[in-house]
Amino acid sequence: MPAVISISVLTTLVWLLLGREFGYALARGISVLVISCPCALGLATPVAIMVGNGLGARNGILFKTAASLEAAGRTQIVALDKTGTITSGKFEFVRCECVHCHCIDKHNHRELLRIIAACERLSTHPIAKSICLAFGQFADDCVVTDAKNYAGMGVSAVVDGVRYYAGNEKLMQKIGVPFTETQLVGTAVYCCTDTEFLGDIVFADIIKTDSREAIDRLHRMGMKQAIMLTGDRESIAADIAAKAGLDGYYAKLLPEEKVQRVQALQQQGHTVLYAGDGINDAPVLAAADLGVAMGGAGADVAIEASDMVIQGDSLSQLPVGVTVARKTVGIARENIIFAIAVKLLIILGCAVGIFDENAMWLAVFGDVGVCLLAVANALRVLHIRKKKK
């Protein structure tokens, strides 16, 4: 504002020094002052962002801040969690094997299933929910106390007075109990006490029907990479990555290791989007340039840590959100460039006397007219439509 007022006063003084009458010189100075009013610049970005946020909300996408929307528009690499993001998070039972009876009939493993279901009773992980849904009735009579969660590894609990552990191979290694790792493609939950390995059950996660199309669309939009970061085994990660059309994957990652992977990509100069839904995803959601929470079945802590929330669980909404963000940021830039260019042109014309007869109405157009044009241009964001299959 000091600069604008100074230019206006200087314009008036210059014309007076050139011998023009006071009224003429004052009119030139006022014209410069009117055109310099920053209304159009003030509305250029906020209106575009408001319209972009509205369109996102209409498609079930919530951008928490303007910075979130801008980061989505700059995204170069997409990193995705597996369970509940690429896959449905609804696990189907594949096999149960007990060390003591060596039988693969789940009905003959009632005791093992009972212990695992009891341990998983208080967990909110999708695998735990699937186990409790399938075998929870076996553990109805169990007394469960002192339940603990091991981030990225599993859970433990005292069941009927005995401490049991249920989780992945990292949890077994942490406890230090010798165990046999399953070779089946699927998510394995191993069970042990402090001294003895009891057996395992295997569930298979199903890829979402729209995951492949969503990732293909992200590639067509010019994303440099779409990768998967998962705590599951190598064989599972390879299978899901191939089915989903991903560029790569990293398996057997703990939450802090996911953060390290994202930070490594950021250090290479990339803008990284990470999408996930679980409690274990909260650290990496916060670390990414844009954390996206799958809000339909996502954990509250993941939603809180994210910058953008997809209300449903459909991955196809992710490219829609990126498209809205890119269009919004592009239009905001157009508004700023247009407003500055028009204002500079009219300020120059008014100051040097090119627009002698029309200076005042041109100044008004440069203020109010450009402001209205910026608002109208921002409404172009509404022409984005969600791509139908």
Side-chain angles (χ1 to χ4, degrees), residues 116-123 126-138 203:
I116 295 177
C119 290
E120 301 282 7
R121 180 184 293 173
L122 301 178
S123 175
I127 297 177
K129 292 179 179 178
S130 297
I131 291 172
C132 292
L133 182 64
F135 310 116
Q137 69 275 15
F138 295 167
F203 281 79

Side-chain angles (χ1 to χ4, degrees), residues 34 92 180 267 308 361:
V34 170
E92 294 184 349
T180 303
Q267 289 169 2
M308 170 178 154
W361 76 261

Side-chain angles (χ1 to χ4, degrees), residues 91-97 112-113 116 127 131 135 180-190 199-205 233 236:
F91 292 81
E92 294 184 349
F93 178 80
V94 175
R95 187 197 72 172
C96 176
E97 184 169 4
L112 177 61
L113 295 172
I116 295 177
I127 297 177
I131 291 172
F135 310 116
T180 303
E181 188 170 348
T182 181
Q183 298 304 311
L184 293 179
V185 176
T187 299
V189 178
Y190 302 97
D200 65 75
I201 58 175
V202 180
F203 281 79
D205 199 359
R233 294 183 293 119
I236 302 172

Side-chain angles (χ1 to χ4, degrees), residues 42-101:
L43 288 174
T45 299
V47 171
I49 289 174
M50 182 178 66
V51 175
N53 275 325
L55 182 61
R58 185 186 300 175
N59 286 280
I61 302 162
L62 172 64
F63 297 99
K64 291 188 176 181
T65 65
S68 302
L69 192 146
E70 185 178 359
R74 292 186 286 105
T75 297
Q76 299 169 315
I77 292 182
V78 176
L80 305 168
D81 178 41
K82 181 184 78 69
T83 305
T85 304
I86 299 175
T87 62
S88 65
K90 297 177 181 178
F91 292 81
E92 294 184 349
F93 178 80
V94 175
R95 187 197 72 172
C96 176
E97 184 169 4
C98 180
V99 170
H100 299 294
C101 65

Side-chain angles (χ1 to χ4, degrees), residues 144-155:
V144 181
T145 59
D146 196 22
K148 296 180 181 179
N149 179 67
Y150 299 88
M153 292 187 285
V155 296

